[in-house]
Amino acid sequence: MAIFIDESTRLLVQGITGRDGSFHTRQMMDYGTNVVGGVTPGKGGQRFEGPSGKGCPIFDTVRQGVQATGANASIIYVPPAFAADAIMEAAEAGIPFIVAITEGVPVLDMTRVYPYVVEHGARLLGPNCPGLLAPGRSKVGIMPGNIALQGNVGVVSRSGTLTYEVVYQLTRADIGQSTCVGIGGDPIVGTNFIDCLAAFQADPDTRAIVMIGEIGGTDEQKAAEFIKANVSKPVVGFIAGQTAPPGRRMGHAGAIISGSAGTAAEKIQAFQDNGIQVMKRPSDVVPLIREVI
Amino acid sequence: MAIFIDESTRLLVQGITGRDGSFHTRQMMDYGTNVVGGVTPGKGGQRFEGPSGKGCPIFDTVRQGVQATGANASIIYVPPAFAADAIMEAAEAGIPFIVAITEGVPVLDMTRVYPYVVEHGARLLGPNCPGLLAPGRSKVGIMPGNIALQGNVGVVSRSGTLTYEVVYQLTRADIGQSTCVGIGGDPIVGTNFIDCLAAFQADPDTRAIVMIGEIGGTDEQKAAEFIKANVSKPVVGFIAGQTAPPGRRMGHAGAIISGSAGTAAEKIQAFQDNGIQVMKRPSDVVPLIREVI
Amino acid sequence: MNIHEYQAKEILRAHGVPVPPGEVATTAQEAQRIAAGFGGAVVVKAQVHAGGRGKAGGVKLARDAAEAKERAGAILGMKIKGLTVQKVLITPAEEIASEAYVGVIVDRASKSPVFMVSRQGGIDIEEVAASNPDAIQKLAVDARYGLLPFQAYWLATQLYDGIAQQRACARILRQLHEAFVASGASLAEINPLITTPAGELKAIDAKINIDDNELDRRPEIEALRDTSAEPESETIAREAGLTFIQLEGNIGAVVNGAGLAMATMDLIKFYGGEPANFLDIGGSSNPEKVVNALRIITGDPRVKVICFNIFGGITRCDDVANGIVEATKRIAIRVPLVIRLTGTNEEKALEILNAAGYSATTSMDEVVQRAVELANPSAGA
Amino acid sequence: MNIHEYQAKEILRAHGVPVPPGEVATTAQEAQRIAAGFGGAVVVKAQVHAGGRGKAGGVKLARDAAEAKERAGAILGMKIKGLTVQKVLITPAEEIASEAYVGVIVDRASKSPVFMVSRQGGIDIEEVAASNPDAIQKLAVDARYGLLPFQAYWLATQLYDGIAQQRACARILRQLHEAFVASGASLAEINPLITTPAGELKAIDAKINIDDNELDRRPEIEALRDTSAEPESETIAREAGLTFIQLEGNIGAVVNGAGLAMATMDLIKFYGGEPANFLDIGGSSNPEKVVNALRIITGDPRVKVICFNIFGGITRCDDVANGIVEATKRIAIRVPLVIRLTGTNEEKALEILNAAGYSATTSMDEVVQRAVELANPSAGA
């Protein structure tokens, strides 16, 4: 088992013929993900050639792609100006799980996209996220497949490359993962920590959880309270930005400290108050996870 | 029992100080409706004086009115330009049952209002409707109270004054009504025939139903199918506009025949096909209802 | 409210839709001058609020300016479905490779604007709907979001195969939707949307109907009303806040409420009479409305009796009674009035009428039967 | 992106908000001339991207044009939170009966724009939030519907008691919301919104922050960027597609991803070092970005070592390696480079680096410890 994706995932790639879309589609095919089709307006009817004889048909619209392939998940690599539309197109076509990799989506677009996705009964992961990886089963996103190892630790993170770092540390120590999920660092994302924590709690293959937060907002504090109330599995946490100067934006929209809300100290305190073991540096994940499983 | 309203209805009147609002508030108070407050921006804090020592406080906003009075229904008499906003205000304030009397609401306004009301878990009756009357119990609208008689026939109609005509015929024949509902003739209304038919079917005090439709659209045809499938109580039907010339708009937006859809003949056929007794003229309601109860 | 083709095209043009140029002429000479300005072949199109202009001979090709003058001369003044043509639109003739239909209406069932598109353009969408419903693709627009780009593109893929035309069509659909919303329309359609031999998309004919309820807040749209294109009695009625439709019979009817008015017409026919009109004085009562109603009805020489059927609700019977009394003072009414009044303030109304020498009944059957007898003494009820 | 007060006011004015007149001066003479044009007392306000201008002495009242010249002379060139004031706004002094706060931000928790209003205007809303949270009323706006009239009116009733001011405020709130959406803002506020002794509402100070992601589709907003009001290195970085923040230490860092970059800074501190910067080369890899990153970092004389921490995902390690090799050809790099590369195309990257004489590790702890040692030989890890 894994969360959100597994061997039955039938993936459609929106923006399959772009630079990033085509590169990562090949990577996903290589990993064994069942990529059933791609979407690029005007290229419907063509075929996408993947590695080792793999490939898939290309469609003009998601609706056509779903009708032809029975896709049940979609991943989006289109440029930011078109990302909101692509997400809504996937939701309207009945795709239940949508991953938006695209970075730079205007947040006001997301204020309309989010309710649209909810109304259509879909789950959105991202935008501005690395997607997710169920090691040995399916990869939907851009996480390097070779750094992960199948196992029983669930990883959830607001960051992209920092997630890889933690996963890499676990794998080098021979600690496998059930699913690694990057939820994205934008102010409005479709899936938050709590959604993932609840899914990991329900997943019989997950025995412990690593949660990687960063400065800005109060999602980690809320997640910590949720963990105390609803998660019986052990959780290890990390907060990036402990030494960031206050009041400056650190790269993504999420990483900003305004006033007293959202500092690393506050979040670490919330972790400690709710029984979550706190990592001082990424490599601490290994001893802390070893302690709990 | 009655449908949608009863003795526990606590009514707020939006537009209480206008010509129509103040007149009909007095009529409703006279009838015994529990009018708990009114709303007119800028007149908050004043008092509305009703008949025979009755009266109620006036508020600037619906939210304030609901907080102060615990209102659970609202009726709207504001001018058409403000009606959409008034309906949404009532829904947002948590009013579960909203009656919009206002005639002339732009239909594009309603395309946004309808989903808003649904999202807020409210029921809207109207707009451009006469409201409803549960004889002897409560009156929320503009139907003349003195033409109705408490009893066991449910009346539902797309028309205003034609409803009064039918109710009047019943009362003169000493046949009482459980609730008389005018759903309004606009293209987009909050409550349709089927909603009312389902409520009458569930209402133990209703033993037979009179349904008054008119030319235009396919609501009567759908209602007829619904009746066959879901309504065990006897239904008597009427369609206005049997002699209307095709292609002309007959007063309200609803009453237009375009192409072959929505003619009186088609609707009468649908009634007959689904076991509904058809009245040739309004006064036929009496013998037909006598037959079935 | 109906507006003319040339007005609808102006609105679409303002929203970016590719509409070929066109100018309106009210005389044959003007048509000639406009056609000469365009050069080459033009189409002369009757501007009239009626469907089926083409079949009625209201749309003609002219090879040159001289022929345009001749065509315009023939079309101007002709009657189409009872309406006199007073304006023609002159527009350059276009070469057509294919024709599509695109339109948007407010749909009762989905409570939304619904787009309809079809590769079968150039004929009435109702005909396509009847003969080949599968040739129409529909899409409901959630008004909270508007027509989304992917939806416009999907519709476009139903009409065109190449990406260039799909993109052009998607753009036109979004512009059409903007025009629809901005003008408070209940219907907006382009039919045909042609493809030229060079692959360009152009809107060759267009129709926009406006929701009457939008006019108060859109004076620029209200200003498009062409009162010369509708019967005068209907113009007077509308300005008086009445809904009036002229019919062929001899029994004038004054009723409050559209449903009751239709039922009254039906009942007149039921008892063997013929209604002279549909007239709804509406929900909000005002004695002046009654005066205007009587003025309009008495203007029809065929009317032999006037039948009031008023059921008071928001309309108050006393206001109507006052209107009747007032009207008899100001207008010479030479036909009998038969009156039915029931509902709000009924007693006051009866007092007012009795004081002025009128009687009234409370029965709709009775008043209609009486009217039929008076209109046509030979016919029994 | 931050814009200046005078720019924010221009946007609000364009949406109908009552904003008193104002002009920008870059010299004391110009300030005098503008003040003379207004006549009477004016306020001279530093235009700088930093909060707390008033406390820092950047906002001064001047009774006449001569005093305005003097005040402007004192404010122009002063430093507020490290930023030099290069422009002042001159605006007529207003009589104030009361001050309110109105603002709208994008809120993570409700995933919506949220309005905040308070009768306690003229001070930072953060202070009010801390000292008297009940003095702030909030309302989330469903972006599918926008700020509805009744919502604006409800907010207005929280600030004003009379209907005239409530209506005026509701109108301003709707205009503020329009400006917020039209400019792609993440924050828009009027503070204070004053009431004059005559009862008029006026926006006396305004702030709008723009979502950087909106700039591509809003060139007119991008054009408001004042690069003279930000550190030059940050301007260069932004134009190169990098996120760069200057810090105080001596270890330059080049990282991909904001989270990993922050974690790298944290780890530098953990091992006793001090980061010289935050630098994120972003998600989409391009060798040129690495060249630019090295160019910026090597421009800082304090930097003693440059630490690469790259974990390839959408960024490909070989692109980064190519960038490093390319940069060493084009820039004289006088400090040691320590490199960590893991992930997508890691092997190719190592080949490229080895061929150019560089080595790399795959351990973040190792590379950071090495950097700290090189920067500060006396401090042990």
Side-chain angles (χ1 to χ4, degrees):
Chain A
M1 285 276 295
I3 70 168
F4 306 145
I5 56 169
D6 60 22
E7 293 86 345
S8 72
T9 298
R10 299 172 60 78
L11 186 68
L12 208 61
V13 179
Q14 292 176 252
I16 194 167
T17 57
R19 185 181 193 267
D20 291 338
S22 57
F23 178 81
H24 287 285
T25 299
R26 290 194 182 94
Q27 298 267 3
M28 291 189 287
M29 285 174 164
D30 250 347
Y31 198 79
T33 304
N34 187 11
V35 179
V36 295
V39 177
T40 296
K43 300 205 173 160
Q46 298 181 19
R47 193 173 164 79
F48 177 83
E49 297 300 339
S52 21
K54 291 178 181 174
C56 66
I58 304 178
F59 303 92
D60 283 328
T61 68
V62 176
R63 199 192 275 211
Q64 290 159 354
V66 169
Q67 276 163 2
T69 69
N72 59 14
S74 166
I75 187 161
I76 292 167
Y77 291 100
V78 306
F82 308 105
D85 194 53
I87 297 168
M88 292 163 103
E89 182 178 6
E92 205 227 26
I95 301 256
F97 184 61
I98 304 160
V99 178
I101 303 299
T102 309
E103 185 181 345
V105 181
V107 68
L108 287 178
D109 285 6
M110 290 306 301
T111 61
R112 285 159 47 87
V113 166
Y114 182 78
Y116 191 90
V117 167
V118 170
E119 283 178 341
H120 284 79
R123 169 174 298 288
L124 170 68
L125 184 68
N128 191 15
C129 82
L132 73 175
L133 176 61
R137 294 180 169 115
S138 186
K139 164 175 149 159
V140 177
I142 61 174
M143 288 194 198
N146 60 339
I147 61 167
L149 177 71
Q150 190 163 354
N152 304 108
V153 175
V155 179
V156 57
S157 169
R158 249 165 85 179
S159 165
T161 48
L162 181 55
T163 319
Y164 311 166
E165 181 64 40
V166 170
V167 170
Y168 180 68
Q169 300 278 359
L170 288 170
T171 296
R172 291 223 297 191
D174 217 33
I175 303 169
Q177 305 93 41
S178 56
T179 319
C180 309
V181 187
I183 61 173
D186 278 1
I188 299 180
V189 291
T191 295
N192 63 21
F193 280 125
I194 290 175
D195 299 321
C196 296
L197 290 164
F200 279 132
Q201 172 68 14
D203 174 28
D205 269 9
T206 299
R207 285 170 50 204
I209 302 165
V210 178
M211 175 177 159
I212 301 157
E214 58 187 33
I215 52 173
T218 54
D219 285 4
E220 290 82 357
Q221 296 89 313
K222 285 182 198 149
E225 283 167 30
F226 178 84
I227 287 166
K228 188 166 194 180
N230 302 288
V231 179
S232 60
K233 300 177 182 179
V235 181
V236 169
F238 180 73
I239 298 293
Q242 298 169 43
T243 62
R248 299 305 303 270
R249 208 175 265 266
M250 294 274 134
H252 40 84
I256 185 165
I257 314 182
S258 51
S260 65
T263 63
E266 203 177 314
K267 290 173 189 241
I268 288 169
Q269 190 63 50
F271 278 0
Q272 287 167 340
D273 291 349
N274 291 284
I276 300 160
Q277 293 289 317
V278 180
M279 299 149 61
K280 286 203 169 61
R281 45 180 184 164
S283 53
D284 288 348
V285 71
V286 171
L288 287 176
I289 280 289
R290 284 237 169 88
E291 250 175 54
V292 297
I293 57 175
Chain B
M1 284 276 294
I3 70 168
F4 306 144
I5 56 168
D6 59 22
E7 294 86 344
S8 72
T9 298
R10 299 172 59 78
L11 186 68
L12 208 60
V13 179
Q14 293 175 253
I16 194 168
T17 57
R19 185 181 192 267
D20 291 338
S22 57
F23 178 82
H24 287 286
T25 299
R26 289 193 182 94
Q27 298 266 4
M28 290 189 287
M29 284 176 163
D30 249 346
Y31 198 80
T33 304
N34 186 12
V35 179
V36 295
V39 178
T40 297
K43 300 206 173 161
Q46 298 181 19
R47 192 172 165 79
F48 177 84
E49 297 300 338
S52 20
K54 291 178 181 174
C56 66
I58 303 176
F59 303 93
D60 282 330
T61 67
V62 176
R63 200 192 273 212
Q64 290 159 354
V66 169
Q67 276 161 3
T69 67
N72 58 14
S74 166
I75 187 162
I76 292 168
Y77 291 100
V78 306
F82 308 105
D85 194 53
I87 297 168
M88 292 163 105
E89 181 178 5
E92 205 227 26
I95 301 256
F97 184 60
I98 304 161
V99 178
I101 303 298
T102 309
E103 185 181 346
V105 181
V107 68
L108 288 178
D109 284 6
M110 289 306 301
T111 61
R112 286 159 46 88
V113 166
Y114 182 77
Y116 191 90
V117 167
V118 170
E119 284 177 340
H120 284 78
R123 170 175 296 289
L124 170 67
L125 183 68
N128 190 15
C129 82
L132 73 176
L133 175 61
R137 294 179 169 113
S138 186
K139 164 177 150 159
V140 177
I142 61 174
M143 287 195 200
N146 61 342
I147 61 166
L149 177 72
Q150 190 162 356
N152 303 107
V153 175
V155 178
V156 57
S157 168
R158 250 166 84 179
S159 165
T161 47
L162 180 55
T163 319
Y164 310 166
E165 180 65 40
V166 170
V167 170
Y168 180 69
Q169 300 277 359
L170 288 170
T171 296
R172 290 222 299 190
D174 217 34
I175 303 169
Q177 306 93 41
S178 57
T179 319
C180 310
V181 188
I183 61 173
D186 278 1
I188 299 180
V189 291
T191 294
N192 62 22
F193 280 124
I194 290 174
D195 299 320
C196 297
L197 290 165
F200 279 132
Q201 172 69 15
D203 173 29
D205 269 9
T206 300
R207 286 169 50 204
I209 303 166
V210 178
M211 176 179 160
I212 302 157
E214 59 187 32
I215 51 174
T218 54
D219 286 2
E220 289 82 357
Q221 295 89 312
K222 286 181 197 150
E225 283 167 28
F226 178 84
I227 287 167
K228 189 168 193 178
N230 303 288
V231 179
S232 60
K233 299 176 182 178
V235 182
V236 169
F238 181 72
I239 298 293
Q242 299 169 43
T243 62
R248 299 306 301 270
R249 208 175 265 266
M250 293 273 133
H252 41 82
I256 186 167
I257 314 182
S258 52
S260 66
T263 62
E266 203 178 314
K267 290 174 188 239
I268 288 170
Q269 189 64 50
F271 279 0
Q272 285 167 341
D273 291 350
N274 290 284
I276 300 161
Q277 292 291 314
V278 180
M279 300 149 63
K280 288 204 168 60
R281 48 181 183 165
S283 54
D284 288 348
V285 71
V286 171
L288 287 177
I289 281 289
R290 283 236 169 89
E291 251 175 54
V292 296
I293 57 175
Chain C
M1 184 179 85
N2 293 318
I3 61 173
H4 289 300
E5 174 195 0
Y6 78 90
Q7 297 170 321
K9 284 180 163 176
E10 202 48 66
I11 290 174
L12 294 178
R13 210 178 266 129
H15 285 89
V17 175
V19 179
E23 280 182 58
V24 171
T26 54
T27 66
Q29 288 70 25
E30 213 181 333
Q32 182 180 25
R33 200 163 52 240
I34 293 166
F38 288 133
V42 297
V43 183
V44 181
K45 307 173 86 174
Q47 300 296 290
V48 66
H49 296 323
R53 289 177 308 173
K55 283 176 200 151
V59 179
K60 295 283 185 193
L61 184 70
R63 280 162 300 180
D64 54 30
E67 199 173 81
K69 179 184 177 185
E70 194 185 305
R71 297 298 197 196
I75 293 171
L76 285 164
M78 76 186 286
K79 287 222 171 198
I80 299 179
K81 296 195 179 158
L83 296 164
T84 306
V85 179
Q86 299 184 326
K87 292 175 185 171
V88 289
L89 173 64
I90 315 294
T91 180
E94 297 283 343
E95 279 189 87
I96 297 175
S98 70
E99 298 181 292
Y101 170 93
V102 301
V104 53
I105 56 158
V106 174
D107 174 54
R108 287 167 168 271
S110 62
K111 302 186 201 291
S112 304
V114 168
F115 268 84
M116 294 181 298
V117 302
S118 174
R119 287 186 189 234
Q120 299 194 12
I123 46 174
D124 274 2
I125 193 71
E126 287 84 359
E127 278 180 44
V128 182
S131 64
N132 190 6
D134 290 346
I136 302 175
Q137 297 293 330
K138 293 182 186 175
L139 184 135
V141 174
D142 187 329
R144 299 169 301 165
Y145 299 95
L147 179 67
L148 297 165
F150 76 85
Q151 294 175 322
Y153 179 73
W154 178 81
L155 285 167
T157 62
Q158 303 302 303
L159 296 182
Y160 301 97
D161 298 317
I163 184 74
Q165 282 170 17
Q166 287 170 350
R167 289 233 165 93
C169 176
R171 196 161 48 238
I172 289 168
L173 290 170
R174 297 190 70 193
Q175 291 161 338
L176 176 64
H177 181 257
E178 277 173 25
F180 174 81
V181 173
S183 56
S186 52
L187 174 149
E189 64 180 23
I190 301 172
N191 186 22
L193 176 65
I194 65 156
T195 309
T196 66
E200 271 183 290
L201 269 48
K202 292 185 183 182
I204 291 307
D205 198 353
K207 184 173 173 184
I208 295 180
N209 290 344
I210 308 294
D211 176 0
D212 290 346
N213 294 339
E214 295 273 1
L215 296 171
D216 276 353
R217 62 183 180 193
R218 298 184 200 277
E220 77 289 359
I221 300 288
E222 171 68 48
L224 299 178
R225 187 189 292 284
D226 182 1
T227 50
S228 74
E230 65 184 1
E232 196 192 348
S233 56
E234 292 182 17
T235 308
I236 295 169
R238 194 190 52 254
E239 283 166 4
L242 307 168
T243 309
F244 174 84
I245 294 171
Q246 182 73 61
L247 302 170
E248 304 297 315
N250 58 8
I251 301 176
V254 180
V255 191
N256 67 319
L260 190 61
M262 285 192 289
T264 305
M265 285 162 55
D266 293 348
L267 201 62
I268 288 172
K269 287 235 188 185
F270 180 86
Y271 285 117
E274 281 295 333
N277 64 272
F278 168 98
L279 194 155
D280 174 10
I281 62 169
S284 184
S285 59
N286 175 344
E288 203 57 30
K289 280 195 177 180
V290 179
V291 177
N292 282 311
L294 283 170
R295 199 184 301 264
I296 293 162
I297 293 176
T298 53
D300 178 355
R302 282 174 301 193
V303 169
K304 294 207 179 131
V305 56
I306 299 172
C307 171
F308 278 80
N309 185 14
I310 302 297
F311 210 124
I314 207 154
T315 304
R316 304 185 206 160
C317 292
D318 54 330
D319 286 335
V320 175
N322 279 323
I324 293 172
V325 173
E326 184 62 28
T328 55
K329 285 183 197 156
R330 282 153 58 182
I331 314 166
I333 298 175
R334 294 194 184 82
V335 296
L337 302 185
V338 293
I339 304 169
R340 182 275 177 112
L341 287 166
T342 317
T344 309
N345 292 4
E346 168 185 333
E347 300 76 14
K348 271 199 208 169
L350 285 175
E351 279 170 33
I352 293 162
L353 287 177
N354 291 340
Y358 288 98
S359 65
T361 172
T362 56
S363 160
M364 175 171 167
D365 282 89
E366 202 178 303
V367 80
V368 168
Q369 276 180 284
R370 181 84 187 115
V372 172
E373 284 163 20
L374 289 167
N376 187 9
S378 65
Chain D
M1 184 179 85
N2 293 318
I3 61 173
H4 289 300
E5 174 195 1
Y6 77 90
Q7 296 170 320
K9 283 180 164 176
E10 203 47 65
I11 291 173
L12 293 178
R13 210 178 266 130
H15 284 90
V17 175
V19 179
E23 281 181 57
V24 171
T26 54
T27 66
Q29 289 69 26
E30 212 181 336
Q32 183 180 27
R33 202 164 50 240
I34 293 165
F38 288 133
V42 297
V43 184
V44 181
K45 308 174 85 175
Q47 301 296 290
V48 67
H49 296 323
R53 289 177 307 173
K55 282 176 201 153
V59 179
K60 294 285 186 194
L61 184 70
R63 279 163 300 180
D64 54 30
E67 200 173 81
K69 181 184 177 186
E70 194 183 304
R71 298 300 198 194
I75 293 171
L76 285 163
M78 76 185 287
K79 286 220 170 201
I80 298 179
K81 297 197 178 156
L83 296 164
T84 306
V85 179
Q86 300 183 327
K87 292 175 184 169
V88 288
L89 174 64
I90 315 295
T91 179
E94 296 283 344
E95 280 190 85
I96 297 175
S98 69
E99 298 181 294
Y101 170 93
V102 300
V104 53
I105 56 157
V106 174
D107 174 55
R108 288 166 166 273
S110 62
K111 302 186 200 292
S112 304
V114 168
F115 268 84
M116 294 181 297
V117 302
S118 174
R119 288 186 189 234
Q120 298 193 11
I123 46 174
D124 275 1
I125 194 69
E126 287 83 359
E127 278 180 45
V128 181
S131 63
N132 190 6
D134 291 346
I136 302 174
Q137 296 293 329
K138 293 182 186 174
L139 183 135
V141 174
D142 186 329
R144 299 169 301 165
Y145 299 96
L147 179 67
L148 296 165
F150 77 85
Q151 294 175 322
Y153 179 73
W154 179 81
L155 285 167
T157 63
Q158 304 302 304
L159 296 181
Y160 302 97
D161 298 317
I163 184 74
Q165 282 170 16
Q166 288 171 350
R167 288 235 164 93
C169 176
R171 197 162 46 238
I172 289 167
L173 290 170
R174 297 190 71 192
Q175 291 161 340
L176 177 64
H177 180 257
E178 278 172 25
F180 174 82
V181 172
S183 55
S186 53
L187 174 150
E189 64 180 23
I190 301 172
N191 187 22
L193 176 65
I194 64 156
T195 309
T196 65
E200 270 184 291
L201 268 50
K202 293 185 182 181
I204 291 308
D205 198 354
K207 185 175 175 184
I208 295 180
N209 291 344
I210 308 294
D211 176 359
D212 289 347
N213 294 340
E214 295 274 1
L215 295 171
D216 274 353
R217 63 183 179 191
R218 298 182 201 276
E220 78 289 358
I221 300 288
E222 171 68 49
L224 299 179
R225 186 189 294 281
D226 182 0
T227 51
S228 72
E230 66 185 0
E232 197 192 347
S233 56
E234 293 182 18
T235 309
I236 295 168
R238 193 190 52 253
E239 282 166 4
L242 308 168
T243 309
F244 174 83
I245 294 170
Q246 183 71 62
L247 302 171
E248 304 296 317
N250 58 8
I251 301 175
V254 179
V255 192
N256 66 321
L260 190 62
M262 286 192 288
T264 306
M265 286 163 54
D266 293 349
L267 200 62
I268 289 171
K269 287 234 187 188
F270 180 86
Y271 285 116
E274 282 295 335
N277 63 272
F278 167 98
L279 194 155
D280 175 10
I281 61 168
S284 184
S285 59
N286 175 345
E288 203 57 32
K289 281 195 176 181
V290 179
V291 177
N292 282 312
L294 282 170
R295 198 184 302 264
I296 292 163
I297 292 176
T298 54
D300 179 356
R302 283 174 300 193
V303 169
K304 294 210 179 128
V305 56
I306 299 173
C307 170
F308 278 80
N309 186 14
I310 302 297
F311 211 123
I314 207 155
T315 305
R316 305 184 206 161
C317 292
D318 54 331
D319 287 336
V320 175
N322 279 324
I324 293 172
V325 173
E326 184 62 29
T328 55
K329 287 184 196 152
R330 283 153 56 181
I331 314 166
I333 298 176
R334 296 196 182 80
V335 295
L337 300 186
V338 293
I339 303 169
R340 182 277 177 111
L341 287 165
T342 317
T344 309
N345 293 4
E346 168 185 332
E347 300 76 14
K348 271 198 207 171
L350 285 174
E351 280 171 34
I352 293 163
L353 287 177
N354 292 340
Y358 288 99
S359 66
T361 171
T362 57
S363 160
M364 174 170 168
D365 282 89
E366 202 178 302
V367 82
V368 168
Q369 275 179 284
R370 181 83 189 117
V372 172
E373 283 163 21
L374 289 168
N376 187 8
S378 65

